[in-house]
Amino acid sequence: MKSRIYWIFALILILPSFLSAQNRIQSTESLPLYEQEPQPLNLAELRKGIPYPKALRQAGVEGMVQVMVKVDAQGNYLDHRIARSSHPLLSGAVNPYISCLTFTPAMNQGRPVVGWKAIPLRFRIRPSQVESKTLTVICPRESVGPQAPIAKTY
């Protein structure tokens, strides 16, 4: 009787971690593999243009946001998801700017394909950092005519 209770207790403890590991394996298997991932072309400019949330700067809070960006076969932004964020205000600061990214497309068997790219964005407070920044970013997604990019100032 005691051994039966022991096994039931052990199963209750082990089963959730086993199921969790199975879910992680399945979610990893569903990710497509590419010969070449999409590569951001204007990430450096975008990083400079994302404003640091004032409340977090004043509180001395630093952090990181990991964004998963979906890119079409022409290298254009399609969608994004916040995979990880150390603070909701940092995610909020990043969200409006991600659609301005342009990429080289993912390549599979020599052909451009739709793909996902992980973009880490780190927020650090530097003493020399200016409170407000202005940056003009070309956003091809919000075009005026066929393939006519417009400049957005942030």
Side-chain angles (χ1 to χ4, degrees), residues 5-120:
I5 292 174
Y6 173 76
W7 284 108
I8 291 172
F9 185 69
L11 260 171
I12 291 172
L13 288 177
I14 295 171
L15 191 59
S17 62
F18 174 75
L19 292 176
S20 172
Q22 287 294 85
N23 288 340
R24 278 181 284 185
I25 290 169
Q26 288 171 356
S27 66
T28 305
E29 288 173 353
S30 66
L31 290 175
L33 299 175
Y34 319 109
E35 292 170 359
Q36 180 184 335
E37 284 187 334
Q39 296 301 318
L41 299 173
N42 60 340
L43 183 58
E45 294 86 7
L46 190 79
R47 280 187 171 137
K48 292 175 188 173
I50 297 173
Y52 209 114
K54 190 173 183 176
L56 296 182
R57 179 190 301 277
Q58 290 173 344
V61 176
E62 297 181 336
M64 190 185 86
V65 178
Q66 175 100 14
V67 184
M68 293 297 296
V69 182
K70 189 175 186 179
V71 180
D72 71 11
Q74 288 74 43
N76 300 312
Y77 164 90
L78 287 177
D79 193 14
H80 75 274
R81 306 268 187 270
I82 302 295
R84 207 172 320 166
S85 179
S86 55
H87 197 284
L89 288 177
L90 295 177
S91 301
V94 167
N95 271 326
Y97 295 88
I98 294 299
S99 65
C100 295
L101 283 172
T102 56
F103 295 83
T104 61
M107 299 297 283
N108 199 9
Q109 297 179 353
R111 294 182 183 167
V113 294
V114 174
W116 287 86
K117 176 70 176 173
I119 307 284

